[in-house]
Amino acid sequence: LYNPDLKKYMSSMTSLPDLIPKPRNLRLMEGIYSSEPNHFILMLGLLTPRLRRIGNLIKIALSEAGFKSEFTDSENQNPERLFARISVNSQKVHNLQGYKLSISPEGIDLLGHDEAGVFYGAMTLSQLTRQFGKTTGIPCMVIEDWPDFLNRGVMLDISRDRVPTMDTLYTLIDLLSELKINQLQLYTEHTFAYRNHSEVWADASPMTS
């Protein structure tokens, strides 16, 4: 959508968007994307349960930034009412867990090499909507990213530190996954409820299996 304040808006951006982790390639383009109401997110290809969950995360992130949309799996939908296109395409995104996120005045395209790639692209889009969604719109850009290591983990020592509640643990998992971490290991000694050794964990608020 044309915005007469675009030049002023773009000149106010003193640096690239703040994304964690920093993507390999990010190119700012001319224009912004500002969604109209009642537009659709098109999920292309085989819609697995995991892709449905990823799509719902995208919808939530966009709705919190003021972008209202619904899902569709019909490619016959009026192109002018398509808000975003999401798909797995290993032919166009060659690296495992990689993605390509394109934002133009016409909408958003997210391609992932695999479902993990789509998820990580969705997490990047979530960061962008928090930064720009409630202003004049999301700056147009193309982001390409993939990890150096397929396994990226964090170990949390819950034997010497506080044993987290399940709510805290889920919050931590959400945060780490947005940062493209894909393993969380809990280091336990006396804070695990061993079936036959209750005397070890009796006073420790232990994790159960």
Side-chain angles (χ1 to χ4, degrees):
L1 298 178
Y2 175 71
N3 188 319
D5 295 325
L6 171 62
K7 186 172 293 186
K8 179 180 178 182
Y9 173 66
M10 294 299 287
S11 64
S12 69
M13 294 179 59
T14 57
S15 61
L16 295 176
D18 293 321
L19 297 173
I20 302 173
K22 181 180 177 182
R24 290 177 182 269
N25 300 308
L26 189 157
R27 300 192 310 278
L28 285 176
M29 314 292 281
E30 294 243 354
I32 61 171
Y33 179 74
S34 181
S35 175
E36 296 290 331
N38 303 317
H39 275 42
F40 290 93
I41 299 173
L42 175 61
M43 305 288 288
L44 292 163
L46 180 63
L47 200 53
T48 65
R50 189 180 186 192
L51 283 175
R52 286 183 183 275
R53 291 194 297 272
I54 295 169
N56 194 52
L57 289 174
I58 292 173
K59 182 179 176 181
I60 291 171
L62 294 171
S63 66
E64 290 176 347
F67 297 89
K68 305 299 183 183
S69 56
E70 296 296 333
F71 289 117
T72 182
D73 57 5
S74 172
E75 296 187 53
N76 296 323
Q77 187 63 244
N78 181 350
E80 293 185 0
R81 296 196 65 199
L82 287 180
F83 168 43
R85 297 171 179 82
I86 303 168
S87 63
V88 174
N89 192 324
S90 59
Q91 301 301 311
K92 292 186 177 180
V93 181
H94 302 296
N95 296 284
L96 292 171
Q97 301 183 21
Y99 67 88
K100 181 177 182 180
L101 175 63
S102 303
I103 301 172
S104 72
E106 289 73 40
I108 297 168
D109 285 287
L110 172 56
L111 302 176
H113 175 90
D114 41 30
E115 291 182 349
V118 175
F119 176 78
Y120 296 131
M123 294 297 96
T124 295
L125 181 59
S126 179
Q127 292 185 32
L128 289 170
T129 57
R130 283 203 299 271
Q131 290 182 57
F132 301 108
K134 293 185 178 180
T135 58
T136 26
I138 304 175
C140 294
M141 65 187 76
V142 177
I143 297 175
E144 295 176 280
D145 197 22
W146 62 93
D148 289 317
F149 303 100
L150 296 183
N151 298 304
R152 303 172 300 282
V154 166
M155 185 177 74
L156 178 64
D157 185 342
I158 64 171
S159 288
R160 295 165 183 82
D161 299 315
R162 179 178 297 177
V163 179
T165 64
M166 291 307 296
D167 285 344
T168 297
L169 197 58
Y170 284 132
T171 299
L172 178 61
I173 288 169
D174 288 341
L175 172 62
L176 292 174
S177 62
E178 183 172 311
L179 302 179
K180 280 77 169 182
I181 298 296
N182 59 11
Q183 290 186 20
L184 173 61
Q185 301 173 14
L186 300 179
Y187 177 78
T188 63
E189 292 178 0
H190 61 287
T191 54
F192 181 80
Y194 301 99
R195 183 182 305 144
N196 298 322
H197 301 282
S198 59
E199 69 279 5
V200 173
W201 50 263
D203 302 315
S205 300
M207 287 286 186
T208 66
S209 58

